[in-house]
């Protein structure tokens, strides 16, 4: 077990280095002089030179790369061009809001998808199954940047039940979480149905039924518990989609998280902050994937010996 | 559902090709006196914030969405198939390098890398297509690599090798065709994904720039008028959802038809 976990951890290191390298190279993809692009065409040459020096762009590429990695190891991601504050400080300040939204969206997705997927599997081939799967396919197809404003119009403006935007009480969380969680709910419902169908065919479920166990008990206590392993993995793997979706949802609902910070910093051409946000989201994604992978190994011993 | 999906996709292609030609309104013509007017017999989808016909703009927007989907899927599936088959066939160091590159790109969630690339390259349709293609090939390469690993041990492939067939011939004539059904399914589902991604980037102001009509841009501008003129948001949103749903139905149907194993499970 220890060897399996250690191996997974070591395999992640080159990916982390690759992610950092790609994020480092972003600033060098800017057409022309990055410092000029950040300050605008009208900026005086002295300001451009000063910014080049401040960002270390006057040094060789190798020196810049070494400084970037060195800073990263110490948690130093540079300074925001707009506010003059450390990038790490601004990101850490916004992190709780994004994680709160992501967790709420995943909870909404799980609460909606599980009953839908189970009902579709148990009533396979019936109207219930077709309706559940059509709804879930529609859920994947509806963009969250459309669903969000529609939900706001109905539940915030027309009915006045929930706030339109911002963060504060649990009521502020409902609309962003539902709009972000809808697509994940759709994917999870399809996965739950597929894994439930497989489990329902297994001999142990039929044996339980033959022993006189009721249908609902055979479904919930036996088939559903075992079908959870791949579903849990999918929840972990879909965390990345939730984080990306959060960029849009936070923009729509003025949710003060990292996604909104990213879009704002793109607008201000605050590239150190853009790099910091991208890096943090990617690193979080890698970490969640690693934990999911390890958890899968713990839950299913066959994975450890592959 | 496959037929419904095919019908939606076909209707969207026809509307995108013929629609703007038969429409009595130009997507950039303005009737400022009637700005934000709701749907009517003359303007079926109503008028936008600058008094432009929304139906005409949705139809031109369909061209952009389909064009982005086609180019992104075409480029990424070609590159992905090529690199995936090279990695799978040659194995060893080549496979190791390509697989690590794929791992790094897959470490970025979905749209994030596209957002980052467009942020530094500058917002434009070309940069959106470039960013989505550069990221999109990884999924195809992973898929094809797996298929090639299986196919290269098949008897007819070994027979071709024994007969002295060249590597490009073995790959092109014998191995890659075995991966094509799976690539076709992924490409169909990928069309929906690319259309959604372009709309999302345009919505964030990072994609197609005004005055060119794009569904994402229309949604973004419509949001400011959601209270007094919800039709600005409703019609482009329905267009995106229906077209993506069409591709998802079609992709799902194709998977069932081409992969009986998947049909058994779903």
């Amino acid at each position: 077990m220890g060897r399996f976990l250690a191996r997974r951890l070591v395999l992640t290191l080159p990916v982390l280095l690759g992610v950092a390298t790609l994020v480092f190279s972003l600033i060098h993809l800017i057409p022309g002089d990055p410092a000029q692009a950040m300050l605008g065409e009208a900026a005086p040459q002295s300001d451009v030179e000063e910014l080049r020096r401040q960002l270390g762009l006057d040094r060789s590429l190798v020196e810049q790369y070494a400084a970037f990695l060195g800073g990263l190891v110490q948690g130093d991601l540079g300074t925001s061009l707009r506010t003059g504050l450390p990038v790490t400080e601004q990101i850490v300040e916004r992190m709780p809001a994004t994680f709160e939204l992501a967790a709420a969206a995943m909870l909404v997705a799980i609460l909606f998808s599980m009953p839908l997927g189970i009902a579709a599997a148990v009533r396979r081939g019936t109207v219930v199954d077709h309706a559940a799967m059509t709804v879930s396919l529609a859920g994947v197809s509806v963009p969250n940047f459309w669903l969000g404003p529609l939900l706001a119009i109905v539940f915030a403006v027309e009915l006045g039940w929930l706030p339109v935007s911002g963060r504060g009480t649990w009521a502020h969380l409902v609309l962003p979480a539902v709009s972000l969680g809808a697509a994940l709910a759709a994917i999870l419902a399809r996965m739950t149905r597929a894994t439930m169908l497989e489990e329902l065919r297994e001999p142990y479920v039929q044996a339980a039924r033959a022993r006189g166990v009721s249908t609902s008990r055979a479904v919930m206590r036996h088939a559903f518990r075992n079908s959870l392993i791949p579903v849990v993995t999918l929840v972990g793997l879909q965390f990345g989609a939730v984080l990306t979706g959060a960029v849009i949802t936070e923009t729509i609902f003025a949710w003060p998280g990292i996604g909104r910070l990213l879009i704002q910093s793109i607008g201000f051409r605050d590239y150190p902050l853009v790099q910091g946000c991208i890096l943090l989201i990617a690193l979080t994604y890698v970490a969640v994937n690693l934990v999911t992978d390890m958890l899968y190994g713990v839950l299913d011993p066959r994975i450890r010996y592959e | 559902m496959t037929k419904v999906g095919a019908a939606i996709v076909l209707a969207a292609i026809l509307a995108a090709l013929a629609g703007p030609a038969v429409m009595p309104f130009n997507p950039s013509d303005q009737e400022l006196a009637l700005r934000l007017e709701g749907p009517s017999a003359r303007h079926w989808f109503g008028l936008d914030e600058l008094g432009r016909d929304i139906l005409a703009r949705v139809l031109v927007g369909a061209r952009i969405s389909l064009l982005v989907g086609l180019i992104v899927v075409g480029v990424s599936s070609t590159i992905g198939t090529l690199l995936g088959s090279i990695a799978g066939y040659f194995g060893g160091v080549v496979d190791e390098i390509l697989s690590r590159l794929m791992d790094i790109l897959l470490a970025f969630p979905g749209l994030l890398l596209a957002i980052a690339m467009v942020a530094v390259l500058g917002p434009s349709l070309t940069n959106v297509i470039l960013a989505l293609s550069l990221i999109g090939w990884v999924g195809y390469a992973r898929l094809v690599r797996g298929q090639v690993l299986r196919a290269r041990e098949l008897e007819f492939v070994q027979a071709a090798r024994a007969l002295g067939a060249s590597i490009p011939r073995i790959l092109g004539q014998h191995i890659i065709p075995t991966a094509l059904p799976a690539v076709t399914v992924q490409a169909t589902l990928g069309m929906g994904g690319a259309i959604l991604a372009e709309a999302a980037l345009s919505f964030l102001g990072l994609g197609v720039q005004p005055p060119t009509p794009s569904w994402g841009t229309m949604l973004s501008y419509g949001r400011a008028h959601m209270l007094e003129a919800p039709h600005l948001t409703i019609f482009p949103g329905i267009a995106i959802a229906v077209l993506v749903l069409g591709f998802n139905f079609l992709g799902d149907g194709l998977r069932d038809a081409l992969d009986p194993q998947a049909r058994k499970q779903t």
Side-chain angles (χ1 to χ4, degrees), chain A residues 15 18-19 22 26 29-31 124 134 137-138 140-141 143 145-146 149 153 157 190 193-194 197-198 201 240 244 248 252 266 271 278 281-282 285-286, chain B residues 1 103-104 106-109 111-112 115-116 119-121 196 199-200 203-204 206 219 223 226-227 233-234 237-238 240-241 244-245 248-249 252 264-266:
Chain A
V15 174
V19 167
L22 204 57
L26 274 178
L29 287 176
I30 298 171
R124 189 189 183 188
T134 307
L137 212 48
V140 185
S141 312
F145 48 88
W146 185 51
I153 284 284
V157 179
R190 291 169 70 80
R193 177 185 178 273
L197 280 179
E198 255 177 57
R201 272 196 292 264
T244 319
I248 296 166
I252 294 170
I266 290 173
Y271 290 111
I278 300 276
I281 298 175
Y285 183 48
V286 172
Chain B
M1 286 303 166
D103 283 347
I104 292 166
L106 285 173
F108 288 89
L111 260 183
L112 187 71
I115 291 176
V120 294
L121 293 174
L196 266 183
F203 177 82
L204 292 171
L206 300 171
L219 277 182
R223 213 157 58 93
M226 268 210 82
L227 292 180
T233 316
I234 288 174
I238 291 177
I240 298 172
V244 174
L245 189 66
N248 284 344
F249 275 154
D252 253 22
K264 223 169 62 186
Q265 287 170 4
T266 56

Coordinates of all heavy atoms in Angstrom, one line a residue, chain A residues 15 18-19 22 26 29-31 124 134 137-138 140-141 143 145-146 149 153 157 190 193-194 197-198 201 240 244 248 252 266 271 278 281-282 285-286, chain B residues 1 103-104 106-109 111-112 115-116 119-121 196 199-200 203-204 206 219 223 226-227 233-234 237-238 240-241 244-245 248-249 252 264-266:
Chain A
V15 N 4.7 16.0 -13.7 CA 3.5 16.8 -14.2 C 3.5 18.2 -13.5 O 3.2 19.2 -14.2 CB 2.2 16.0 -13.8 CG1 1.0 16.8 -14.1 CG2 2.1 14.7 -14.5
G18 N 6.0 20.2 -15.3 CA 5.5 20.6 -16.6 C 4.4 21.7 -16.5 O 4.5 22.7 -17.3
V19 N 3.5 21.6 -15.5 CA 2.5 22.6 -15.4 C 3.2 24.0 -15.1 O 2.8 25.0 -15.7 CB 1.5 22.3 -14.2 CG1 0.7 23.4 -13.8 CG2 0.7 21.1 -14.6
L22 N 4.8 25.4 -18.2 CA 3.8 25.9 -19.2 C 3.3 27.3 -18.7 O 3.2 28.2 -19.5 CB 2.7 24.9 -19.3 CG 1.9 24.9 -20.6 CD1 2.8 24.7 -21.8 CD2 0.8 23.8 -20.6
L26 N 3.8 31.1 -20.5 CA 2.7 31.9 -21.0 C 3.0 33.4 -21.3 O 2.7 33.9 -22.3 CB 1.6 32.0 -19.9 CG 0.6 30.8 -19.9 CD1 -0.4 31.0 -18.7 CD2 -0.2 30.7 -21.2
L29 N 4.5 34.1 -24.5 CA 3.7 33.9 -25.7 C 3.1 35.2 -26.2 O 2.6 35.3 -27.3 CB 2.6 32.9 -25.4 CG 2.9 31.4 -25.3 CD1 1.7 30.6 -24.9 CD2 3.5 30.9 -26.6
I30 N 3.2 36.2 -25.3 CA 2.6 37.5 -25.6 C 3.3 38.0 -26.9 O 4.5 38.1 -26.9 CB 2.7 38.5 -24.5 CG1 2.0 38.0 -23.2 CG2 2.2 39.9 -24.9 CD1 2.2 38.8 -22.0
P31 N 2.5 38.4 -27.9 CA 3.2 38.9 -29.2 C 3.9 40.2 -28.9 O 3.4 41.1 -28.2 CB 2.0 39.1 -30.1 CG 0.8 38.4 -29.5 CD 1.1 38.3 -28.1
R124 N -35.2 0.5 -16.0 CA -34.5 0.5 -17.4 C -35.5 0.3 -18.5 O -36.3 -0.6 -18.4 CB -33.4 -0.6 -17.4 CG -32.6 -0.4 -18.6 CD -31.7 -1.6 -18.8 NE -30.9 -1.4 -19.9 CZ -30.1 -2.3 -20.5 NH1 -30.0 -3.5 -19.9 NH2 -29.4 -2.1 -21.5
T134 N -32.8 11.8 -21.0 CA -33.0 13.0 -21.8 C -32.7 14.3 -21.0 O -32.0 15.2 -21.5 CB -34.4 13.1 -22.4 OG1 -34.6 11.8 -23.1 CG2 -34.5 14.2 -23.5
L137 N -29.0 14.6 -20.5 CA -28.3 15.0 -21.8 C -28.5 16.5 -22.0 O -27.6 17.2 -22.4 CB -28.7 14.2 -23.0 CG -27.7 13.9 -24.0 CD1 -26.4 13.4 -23.5 CD2 -28.2 12.9 -25.1
A138 N -29.7 16.9 -21.7 CA -30.0 18.4 -21.8 C -29.1 19.2 -20.8 O -28.6 20.2 -21.1 CB -31.5 18.6 -21.6
V140 N -26.2 18.5 -19.8 CA -24.8 18.7 -20.3 C -24.8 19.7 -21.4 O -23.7 20.4 -21.6 CB -24.3 17.3 -20.9 CG1 -22.8 17.4 -21.3 CG2 -24.4 16.2 -19.9
S141 N -25.9 19.9 -22.2 CA -25.9 20.7 -23.3 C -26.1 22.2 -23.0 O -25.8 23.1 -23.8 CB -26.9 20.2 -24.3 OG -26.8 18.9 -24.5
P143 N -25.5 25.6 -21.5 CA -24.3 26.3 -21.0 C -24.6 27.0 -19.7 O -25.7 27.5 -19.5 CB -24.0 27.3 -22.1 CG -25.1 27.4 -23.0 CD -26.0 26.2 -22.8
F145 N -23.4 29.6 -18.6 CA -23.5 31.1 -18.7 C -24.8 31.5 -19.2 O -25.1 32.7 -19.4 CB -22.3 31.6 -19.5 CG -22.1 30.9 -20.8 CD1 -22.8 31.3 -22.0 CD2 -21.2 29.9 -20.9 CE1 -22.6 30.6 -23.2 CE2 -21.0 29.2 -22.1 CZ -21.7 29.6 -23.2
W146 N -25.7 30.5 -19.6 CA -27.1 30.9 -20.0 C -28.0 30.5 -18.8 O -28.9 31.3 -18.4 CB -27.4 30.1 -21.2 CG -28.8 30.4 -21.8 CD1 -29.3 31.7 -22.0 CD2 -29.8 29.5 -22.1 NE1 -30.5 31.6 -22.6 CE2 -30.9 30.3 -22.6 CE3 -30.0 28.1 -22.1 CZ2 -32.1 29.7 -23.1 CZ3 -31.1 27.5 -22.5 CH2 -32.2 28.3 -23.0
P149 N -27.9 33.3 -15.6 CA -28.8 34.5 -15.7 C -30.3 34.1 -15.8 O -31.1 34.8 -15.2 CB -28.4 35.1 -17.1 CG -27.0 34.6 -17.3 CD -26.9 33.3 -16.7
I153 N -33.0 35.6 -13.1 CA -34.3 36.3 -13.5 C -35.5 35.7 -12.8 O -36.3 36.4 -12.2 CB -34.5 36.2 -15.0 CG1 -33.5 37.1 -15.7 CG2 -35.9 36.5 -15.4 CD1 -33.9 38.6 -15.7
V157 N -35.1 37.9 -9.4 CA -35.9 39.1 -9.9 C -37.4 39.0 -9.8 O -38.1 39.7 -9.2 CB -35.4 39.5 -11.3 CG1 -36.2 40.8 -11.8 CG2 -33.9 39.8 -11.3
R190 N -25.8 9.9 -15.5 CA -25.5 8.9 -16.5 C -24.6 7.8 -16.0 O -24.7 6.7 -16.3 CB -25.0 9.6 -17.8 CG -26.0 10.5 -18.5 CD -25.4 11.3 -19.5 NE -24.9 10.6 -20.7 CZ -25.7 10.2 -21.7 NH1 -27.0 10.4 -21.6 NH2 -25.2 9.5 -22.7
R193 N -26.3 5.6 -13.4 CA -27.2 4.6 -14.1 C -26.4 3.5 -14.7 O -26.7 2.3 -14.5 CB -27.9 5.3 -15.3 CG -28.8 4.4 -16.1 CD -29.4 5.2 -17.3 NE -30.2 4.3 -18.1 CZ -29.7 3.6 -19.1 NH1 -28.5 3.6 -19.4 NH2 -30.5 2.9 -19.8
A194 N -25.3 3.8 -15.4 CA -24.5 2.8 -16.1 C -23.9 1.8 -15.0 O -23.9 0.6 -15.2 CB -23.3 3.4 -16.9
L197 N -26.6 -0.4 -13.4 CA -27.0 -1.5 -14.3 C -26.1 -2.7 -14.2 O -26.5 -3.8 -14.2 CB -27.1 -1.0 -15.8 CG -28.4 -0.2 -16.1 CD1 -28.3 0.3 -17.6 CD2 -29.6 -1.0 -15.9
E198 N -24.8 -2.3 -14.2 CA -23.8 -3.4 -14.1 C -23.9 -4.2 -12.8 O -23.9 -5.4 -12.8 CB -22.4 -2.8 -14.2 CG -21.7 -3.0 -15.5 CD -20.3 -2.3 -15.5 OE1 -19.5 -2.6 -14.7 OE2 -20.1 -1.4 -16.4
R201 N -26.8 -6.6 -12.4 CA -26.7 -7.9 -13.1 C -25.8 -8.9 -12.4 O -25.8 -10.1 -12.7 CB -26.1 -7.6 -14.5 CG -27.1 -7.3 -15.6 CD -26.6 -7.5 -16.9 NE -25.6 -6.4 -17.2 CZ -25.8 -5.3 -17.8 NH1 -27.0 -5.1 -18.3 NH2 -24.8 -4.4 -18.0
G240 N -12.1 19.4 -11.9 CA -11.5 20.4 -12.8 C -12.5 21.1 -13.6 O -12.5 22.3 -13.8
T244 N -13.2 25.2 -13.7 CA -13.3 26.0 -14.9 C -14.7 26.7 -15.0 O -14.8 27.8 -15.3 CB -13.1 25.2 -16.1 OG1 -12.0 24.3 -15.9 CG2 -12.7 26.0 -17.3
I248 N -16.7 31.1 -14.9 CA -17.8 31.7 -15.6 C -18.9 32.1 -14.5 O -19.4 33.2 -14.5 CB -18.4 30.8 -16.7 CG1 -17.3 30.6 -17.8 CG2 -19.7 31.4 -17.3 CD1 -17.6 29.5 -18.7
I252 N -20.6 35.7 -13.5 CA -22.0 36.0 -13.7 C -22.6 36.6 -12.4 O -23.3 37.5 -12.3 CB -22.8 34.8 -14.1 CG1 -22.4 34.4 -15.5 CG2 -24.3 35.0 -14.1 CD1 -22.9 33.1 -16.0
I266 N -7.2 39.5 -16.4 CA -7.0 39.4 -17.8 C -7.4 40.8 -18.4 O -6.7 41.3 -19.3 CB -7.9 38.3 -18.5 CG1 -7.3 36.9 -18.1 CG2 -7.9 38.4 -20.0 CD1 -8.1 35.7 -18.5
Y271 N -0.6 40.3 -15.9 CA -0.2 39.0 -16.2 C 0.4 38.2 -15.0 O 0.1 37.0 -15.0 CB 0.8 39.0 -17.4 CG 0.0 39.3 -18.7 CD1 0.3 40.5 -19.4 CD2 -0.9 38.5 -19.2 CE1 -0.4 40.9 -20.5 CE2 -1.6 38.8 -20.4 CZ -1.4 40.0 -21.0 OH -2.1 40.3 -22.1
I278 N -4.0 30.9 -12.8 CA -4.0 29.7 -13.6 C -3.2 28.6 -12.9 O -3.6 27.4 -12.8 CB -3.3 30.0 -15.0 CG1 -4.0 31.0 -15.8 CG2 -3.1 28.7 -15.8 CD1 -5.2 30.6 -16.6
I281 N -5.2 27.1 -9.9 CA -6.3 26.2 -10.3 C -5.8 24.9 -10.8 O -6.3 23.8 -10.5 CB -7.2 26.9 -11.4 CG1 -7.8 28.2 -10.8 CG2 -8.3 26.0 -11.8 CD1 -8.6 29.0 -11.8
A282 N -4.7 24.9 -11.6 CA -4.1 23.7 -12.2 C -3.5 22.8 -11.1 O -3.8 21.6 -11.1 CB -3.1 24.0 -13.2
Y285 N -6.2 21.1 -9.2 CA -6.8 20.0 -10.0 C -5.9 18.8 -9.9 O -6.4 17.7 -9.7 CB -6.9 20.5 -11.4 CG -7.5 19.6 -12.4 CD1 -8.7 18.9 -12.1 CD2 -7.0 19.3 -13.6 CE1 -9.3 18.0 -12.9 CE2 -7.6 18.4 -14.5 CZ -8.7 17.8 -14.2 OH -9.3 16.9 -15.0
V286 N -4.6 19.0 -10.0 CA -3.6 17.9 -10.0 C -3.7 17.2 -8.6 O -3.7 16.0 -8.5 CB -2.2 18.4 -10.2 CG1 -1.2 17.3 -9.9 CG2 -2.0 18.9 -11.7
Chain B
M1 N -33.2 8.7 -30.6 CA -32.5 9.9 -30.3 C -31.5 10.3 -31.3 O -31.2 11.5 -31.6 CB -31.9 9.8 -28.9 CG -32.9 9.9 -27.8 SD -33.8 11.4 -27.8 CE -35.2 11.0 -26.7
D103 N 0.1 14.2 -20.3 CA -0.2 14.3 -18.9 C -0.2 15.7 -18.4 O -1.1 16.2 -17.7 CB 0.8 13.5 -18.0 CG 0.6 12.0 -18.0 OD1 -0.5 11.6 -18.5 OD2 1.5 11.3 -17.7
I104 N 0.8 16.5 -18.9 CA 0.9 17.9 -18.5 C -0.3 18.7 -19.0 O -0.9 19.5 -18.3 CB 2.2 18.5 -19.0 CG1 3.4 17.8 -18.3 CG2 2.3 20.0 -18.9 CD1 4.7 18.1 -18.9
L106 N -3.2 17.5 -19.8 CA -4.4 17.1 -19.1 C -4.5 17.6 -17.6 O -5.5 17.5 -17.0 CB -4.5 15.6 -19.1 CG -4.9 15.0 -20.5 CD1 -4.8 13.5 -20.5 CD2 -6.4 15.4 -20.9
A107 N -3.3 18.1 -17.1 CA -3.3 18.6 -15.8 C -4.1 19.9 -15.7 O -4.3 20.4 -14.6 CB -1.9 18.7 -15.3
F108 N -4.4 20.5 -16.8 CA -5.1 21.8 -16.8 C -6.6 21.4 -17.0 O -6.9 20.8 -18.0 CB -4.6 22.7 -17.9 CG -3.3 23.3 -17.6 CD1 -2.2 22.6 -18.0 CD2 -3.2 24.5 -16.9 CE1 -0.9 23.2 -17.8 CE2 -1.9 25.0 -16.6 CZ -0.8 24.4 -17.1
P109 N -7.5 21.9 -16.1 CA -8.9 21.5 -16.4 C -9.4 22.2 -17.6 O -9.2 23.4 -17.8 CB -9.5 22.0 -15.1 CG -8.6 22.9 -14.4 CD -7.2 22.6 -14.9
L111 N -11.3 24.2 -20.0 CA -11.2 25.5 -20.7 C -10.0 26.3 -20.2 O -9.7 27.3 -20.8 CB -12.5 26.3 -20.5 CG -13.5 26.3 -21.6 CD1 -14.6 27.3 -21.2 CD2 -12.9 26.8 -22.9
L112 N -9.5 26.0 -19.0 CA -8.6 26.9 -18.3 C -7.4 27.3 -19.2 O -7.0 28.5 -19.3 CB -8.1 26.3 -17.0 CG -7.3 27.2 -16.2 CD1 -8.2 28.3 -15.6 CD2 -6.6 26.5 -15.1
I115 N -8.4 29.7 -21.9 CA -8.6 31.0 -21.3 C -7.2 31.7 -21.2 O -7.0 32.8 -21.6 CB -9.3 31.0 -20.0 CG1 -10.8 30.6 -20.2 CG2 -9.2 32.3 -19.3 CD1 -11.5 30.4 -18.9
A116 N -6.2 30.9 -20.7 CA -4.9 31.4 -20.4 C -4.2 31.8 -21.8 O -3.6 32.9 -21.9 CB -4.0 30.4 -19.7
A119 N -5.9 34.8 -23.3 CA -5.5 36.0 -22.5 C -4.2 36.6 -23.0 O -4.1 37.8 -23.0 CB -5.5 35.6 -21.0
V120 N -3.2 35.7 -23.3 CA -1.9 36.3 -23.6 C -1.8 36.6 -25.1 O -1.2 37.6 -25.5 CB -0.7 35.4 -23.2 CG1 -0.6 35.3 -21.7 CG2 -0.8 34.0 -23.8
L121 N -2.5 35.8 -26.0 CA -2.4 36.0 -27.4 C -3.3 37.1 -27.9 O -3.1 37.7 -28.9 CB -2.8 34.7 -28.2 CG -1.8 33.5 -28.0 CD1 -2.4 32.3 -28.7 CD2 -0.5 33.8 -28.6
L196 N -19.6 24.8 -27.4 CA -19.7 25.4 -26.0 C -18.5 26.2 -25.6 O -18.7 27.3 -25.0 CB -19.9 24.2 -25.0 CG -21.4 23.8 -24.7 CD1 -21.4 22.7 -23.7 CD2 -22.2 25.0 -24.2
A199 N -18.4 29.5 -27.3 CA -19.4 30.4 -26.8 C -19.0 31.0 -25.4 O -19.2 32.1 -25.1 CB -20.8 29.7 -26.7
A200 N -18.4 30.1 -24.6 CA -18.0 30.5 -23.3 C -16.9 31.5 -23.3 O -16.9 32.6 -22.6 CB -17.5 29.3 -22.5
F203 N -18.4 34.7 -24.5 CA -19.2 35.3 -23.4 C -18.3 36.1 -22.4 O -18.6 37.1 -21.9 CB -19.9 34.1 -22.7 CG -20.7 34.6 -21.5 CD1 -22.0 35.1 -21.6 CD2 -20.2 34.5 -20.2 CE1 -22.7 35.6 -20.5 CE2 -20.9 34.9 -19.1 CZ -22.1 35.5 -19.3
L204 N -17.1 35.5 -22.2 CA -16.1 36.2 -21.3 C -15.4 37.3 -21.9 O -14.6 38.0 -21.3 CB -15.1 35.1 -20.8 CG -15.6 34.0 -19.8 CD1 -14.6 33.0 -19.6 CD2 -16.1 34.6 -18.5
L206 N -13.4 37.0 -24.5 CA -12.1 36.5 -25.0 C -12.1 35.9 -26.4 O -11.1 35.5 -26.9 CB -11.5 35.5 -24.0 CG -11.3 36.0 -22.6 CD1 -10.9 34.8 -21.7 CD2 -10.2 37.0 -22.5
L219 N -25.0 36.6 -26.0 CA -25.5 36.3 -24.6 C -24.9 37.3 -23.6 O -25.5 37.8 -22.7 CB -25.1 34.9 -24.1 CG -25.9 33.8 -24.6 CD1 -25.4 32.5 -24.0 CD2 -27.3 34.0 -24.0
R223 N -27.1 40.1 -21.5 CA -27.2 40.1 -20.0 C -27.5 41.4 -19.4 O -28.2 41.5 -18.4 CB -25.9 39.5 -19.5 CG -26.1 38.7 -18.2 CD -24.9 37.7 -18.1 NE -23.6 38.4 -18.0 CZ -23.0 38.8 -16.9 NH1 -23.6 38.6 -15.8 NH2 -21.9 39.4 -17.0
M226 N -31.3 42.0 -19.5 CA -32.2 40.8 -19.2 C -33.5 41.1 -18.6 O -34.5 40.4 -18.8 CB -31.4 39.9 -18.2 CG -30.6 38.8 -19.0 SD -30.4 37.3 -18.2 CE -32.0 36.5 -18.5
L227 N -33.6 42.2 -17.8 CA -34.9 42.5 -17.2 C -35.9 43.1 -18.2 O -37.0 42.6 -18.2 CB -34.7 43.6 -16.1 CG -33.9 43.0 -14.9 CD1 -33.7 44.1 -13.8 CD2 -34.6 41.8 -14.3
T233 N -31.3 37.3 -24.7 CA -30.6 36.2 -24.1 C -31.2 34.9 -24.4 O -30.5 33.9 -24.6 CB -30.5 36.4 -22.5 OG1 -30.3 37.7 -22.2 CG2 -29.5 35.5 -21.9
I234 N -32.5 34.8 -24.4 CA -33.2 33.5 -24.6 C -32.9 32.9 -25.9 O -32.5 31.7 -26.0 CB -34.7 33.7 -24.4 CG1 -35.0 34.0 -22.9 CG2 -35.5 32.5 -24.9 CD1 -36.4 34.4 -22.6
G237 N -29.2 31.5 -26.4 CA -29.1 30.4 -25.5 C -29.7 29.2 -25.9 O -29.1 28.1 -25.9
I238 N -30.9 29.3 -26.5 CA -31.6 28.1 -27.0 C -30.8 27.5 -28.2 O -30.7 26.3 -28.3 CB -33.1 28.5 -27.4 CG1 -33.9 28.8 -26.2 CG2 -33.7 27.3 -28.2 CD1 -35.3 29.2 -26.5
I240 N -27.6 27.6 -28.8 CA -26.4 26.9 -28.3 C -26.9 25.5 -27.7 O -26.4 24.5 -28.1 CB -25.7 27.6 -27.2 CG1 -25.2 29.0 -27.7 CG2 -24.5 26.8 -26.6 CD1 -24.6 29.9 -26.6
A241 N -27.9 25.6 -26.8 CA -28.3 24.3 -26.1 C -28.8 23.3 -27.1 O -28.4 22.1 -27.1 CB -29.4 24.6 -25.1
V244 N -25.9 21.9 -29.4 CA -25.0 21.0 -28.6 C -25.7 19.7 -28.3 O -25.1 18.6 -28.4 CB -24.5 21.7 -27.3 CG1 -23.7 20.8 -26.4 CG2 -23.6 22.9 -27.7
L245 N -27.0 19.8 -27.9 CA -27.8 18.6 -27.6 C -27.9 17.7 -28.9 O -27.7 16.5 -28.8 CB -29.2 19.1 -27.2 CG -30.1 17.9 -26.7 CD1 -29.6 17.4 -25.4 CD2 -31.6 18.5 -26.5
N248 N -24.7 15.9 -29.1 CA -24.6 14.9 -28.1 C -25.5 13.7 -28.3 O -25.1 12.5 -28.1 CB -25.0 15.5 -26.7 CG -23.9 16.4 -26.1 OD1 -22.7 16.3 -26.6 ND2 -24.2 17.2 -25.2
F249 N -26.7 13.9 -28.8 CA -27.6 12.8 -29.2 C -26.9 12.0 -30.3 O -26.9 10.8 -30.3 CB -28.9 13.4 -29.8 CG -30.0 13.7 -28.7 CD1 -30.9 14.6 -29.0 CD2 -30.0 13.0 -27.5 CE1 -31.9 14.9 -28.0 CE2 -30.9 13.3 -26.6 CZ -31.9 14.3 -26.8
D252 N -23.9 10.0 -29.0 CA -24.4 8.9 -28.2 C -24.9 7.8 -29.0 O -24.6 6.6 -28.8 CB -25.5 9.4 -27.3 CG -25.1 9.5 -25.8 OD1 -23.9 9.7 -25.6 OD2 -25.9 9.5 -24.9
K264 N -24.2 -2.1 -24.1 CA -24.5 -3.0 -23.1 C -24.6 -2.3 -21.7 O -25.3 -2.6 -20.8 CB -23.5 -4.1 -23.0 CG -24.2 -5.5 -22.9 CD -23.2 -6.6 -23.1 CE -22.1 -6.6 -22.1 NZ -21.1 -7.6 -22.4
Q265 N -23.6 -1.3 -21.6 CA -23.5 -0.7 -20.3 C -24.4 0.5 -20.1 O -24.8 0.8 -18.9 CB -22.0 -0.1 -20.1 CG -21.1 -1.3 -19.9 CD -19.6 -0.8 -20.0 OE1 -19.4 0.4 -20.1 NE2 -18.7 -1.7 -19.9
T266 N -24.9 1.2 -21.1 CA -25.7 2.4 -20.9 C -27.1 2.2 -21.4 O -27.5 1.2 -21.9 CB -25.0 3.6 -21.7 OG1 -24.9 3.2 -23.0 CG2 -23.7 4.0 -21.1

